[in-house]
Amino acid sequence: MPFAPAPHLAALIWTAPLAFFGLALLALPVIAHLLNRRARQRVVFPTILLLQASKASQSQLFRLRRWLLLALRCLAVAAVVAAFAGPLWTQRPAAAAVVQAEGASVVVLLDRSASANQRIGGVRLTQTLKASGLRVLDELEAGRDRANLVLVDAHPQPAFEAMTTNLPAVRQQLEQAETLPEPADWVEAIALAGSLLADQAGDRRLVIVSDLQATNWRPTLNQLVRASPLPEGVEVTVVPPSEGAAANVSLSKPTLQPQAPVVGAAAQVRVDVRNHASAPVVRSVTLEVDGRAVDRQDVQLDPDRATSVLFDLSFDEPGWRALRVAVEEDPLTHDNAAHLAVRVGQQREVVLIGDDPPDEPGSATYFTARALAPRGDLRDRYRVTHLTSADATALRLRSASLVVLTRVGPMSEPFAAALKRFVS
């Protein structure tokens, strides 16, 4: 009967492999060893006793002791570096056929999207979700059951490459999880869980710990109905928070029209306000300019619907302005405000010089004037003044920011002198 090699029962992986760069510290004991080497020198010994002691210090045993001391120092440095690299004893698929029938395989999906940061009853929802996940791990038997953790955000990743019986390590990763200001990709997270459980035998379970926010889960459920990434036989358990999520109103898509406003011109701020609760609510929405409230509206919001709120305003001075639209604070603070940075300009005077009538359709002066000031009011970036070449004097051009020449006749000497002075 041919000999069959035994399968690998487990493997050692490192949770922080970059720490191995610390092996460069092995140079320290080597340097210390070289510094302790005694240089050869001529010594006159007055007695035989001192000569014998000198001979003993150069013996083979003494040199061996120095090499052993160097090896122990290097081993101590390497052990410290390996400890910082985070060794983890984990099972490989080759060992699964031997031990998996004896225990369960559980993957916990923990929601750490922005909605998990809301407060319910004075407590962060993320703390409640983590407590639910820890209770799931506490029900597993150490050394027998296998587990893994997937932190669900915009780019979900498993805490460990494979299922592990090191339950304290999984628990530590769950306790350290923090929320991120981004949505959760549940389709990708469930697909990762399916790949982790695919090679496991026996009882396979997927535990989802989430606040079940509709905007995250609605597209997820639609996609999972069409094709599930989970292997057949995986038991799915959803653990919602012990208390229902509080009503949340969010702000999104702030815009300003016109995008480049000018001093004295009318402008309008638009923002979408969505009610994520299952009941209608009334909320106050406030517009602030440079930290000062300038307008406020009370808005009736239907359940799970978005409403656009409009604010009219104008600016008295040119320069950068900070716009902030805020809704009454609710437990989820990430989406209670929307911001815009706006550069307010000043309407500039443009002198349009052309001998064509400015109101005659089809002429160069007509089209140029309407290209620079299409509305003919304060909403335009430029204020256009038309002059003929005969009227274009240096005094008339003094206040202009820009001079545009269209179709003009022969250039007279005063006209040329006025243009020269304007340019200089």
Side-chain angles (χ1 to χ4, degrees), residues 26 240 264 266 300:
L26 288 174
Q300 172 79 34

Side-chain angles (χ1 to χ4, degrees), residues 55-401:
K55 181 180 180 181
S57 67
Q58 301 301 324
S59 65
Q60 293 291 337
L61 180 61
F62 181 81
R63 288 195 293 270
L64 178 61
R65 186 181 67 179
R66 291 172 56 196
W67 283 110
L68 289 175
L69 181 59
L70 173 62
L72 290 175
R73 288 171 175 170
C74 292
L75 183 62
V77 172
V80 172
V81 172
F84 278 102
L88 178 65
W89 194 254
T90 180
Q91 290 180 337
R92 294 294 183 183
V98 179
V99 297
Q100 279 182 349
E102 300 178 0
S105 300
V106 179
V107 175
V108 178
L109 302 187
L110 179 66
D111 189 346
R112 67 166 182 172
S113 62
S115 61
N117 196 47
Q118 61 182 298
R119 289 185 178 273
I120 299 178
V123 179
R124 290 286 183 192
L125 180 58
T126 182
Q127 298 299 328
T128 304
L129 297 178
K130 289 199 293 187
S132 300
L134 291 174
R135 284 194 294 270
V136 173
L137 296 178
D138 290 341
E139 295 175 357
L140 302 181
E141 184 178 342
R144 178 175 177 270
D145 295 332
R146 295 158 302 283
N148 206 335
L149 171 70
V150 176
L151 300 176
V152 188
D153 48 37
H155 307 283
Q157 292 292 332
F160 305 102
E161 295 180 1
M163 304 296 291
T164 177
T165 56
N166 192 344
L167 301 182
V170 180
R171 182 185 181 93
Q172 181 181 14
Q173 292 293 321
L174 193 150
E175 290 174 341
Q176 296 174 352
E178 298 292 340
T179 58
L180 297 177
E182 56 189 36
D185 188 347
W186 284 102
V187 174
E188 176 64 20
I190 294 174
L192 282 174
S195 64
L196 291 170
L197 294 171
D199 296 329
Q200 305 298 306
D203 185 14
R204 298 180 296 179
R205 285 182 281 164
L206 172 62
V207 180
I208 299 174
V209 184
S210 170
D211 64 344
L212 304 180
Q213 187 190 40
T215 52
N216 269 332
W217 276 101
R218 187 180 295 111
T220 301
L221 294 176
N222 293 337
Q223 187 164 345
L224 293 179
V225 167
R226 294 192 295 267
S228 174
L230 292 176
E232 187 177 354
V234 174
E235 178 185 348
V236 179
T237 303
V238 179
V239 183
S242 56
E243 299 182 30
N248 175 46
V249 174
S250 66
L251 299 180
S252 62
K253 302 178 182 177
T255 57
L256 176 69
Q257 291 296 334
Q259 296 182 354
V262 296
V263 173
Q268 190 175 69
V269 176
R270 175 180 180 146
V271 66
D272 286 350
V273 186
R274 175 175 284 274
N275 175 22
H276 297 276
S278 57
V281 296
V282 177
R283 289 290 185 270
S284 293
V285 184
T286 304
L287 172 65
E288 300 176 1
V289 177
D290 294 335
R292 180 175 59 89
V294 297
D295 198 358
R296 178 175 177 175
Q297 297 184 30
D298 292 332
V299 184
Q300 172 79 34
L301 302 172
D302 295 330
D304 198 23
R305 290 289 185 273
T307 302
S308 294
V309 180
L310 304 177
F311 294 96
D312 296 322
L313 76 161
S314 62
F315 301 95
D316 299 330
E317 297 179 357
W320 285 100
R321 294 290 179 268
L323 274 59
R324 178 177 182 268
V325 184
V327 70
E328 292 180 56
E329 187 171 334
D330 55 33
L332 181 57
T333 58
H334 281 93
D335 53 11
N336 287 345
H339 301 265
L340 282 173
V342 179
R343 186 174 184 178
V344 181
Q346 200 159 14
Q347 196 174 47
R348 298 187 175 187
E349 181 179 358
V350 176
V351 174
L352 181 61
I353 302 176
D355 293 334
D356 294 335
D359 297 328
E360 181 180 335
S363 66
T365 303
Y366 176 88
F367 285 119
T368 305
R370 278 149 184 79
L372 292 170
R375 300 180 184 87
D377 56 26
L378 286 176
R379 292 176 296 173
D380 293 328
R381 192 71 165 169
Y382 303 104
R383 183 176 66 257
V384 178
T385 300
H386 174 257
L387 297 176
T388 63
S389 58
D391 297 331
T393 63
L395 182 63
R396 300 290 296 271
L397 301 183
R398 178 182 299 176
S399 61
S401 300

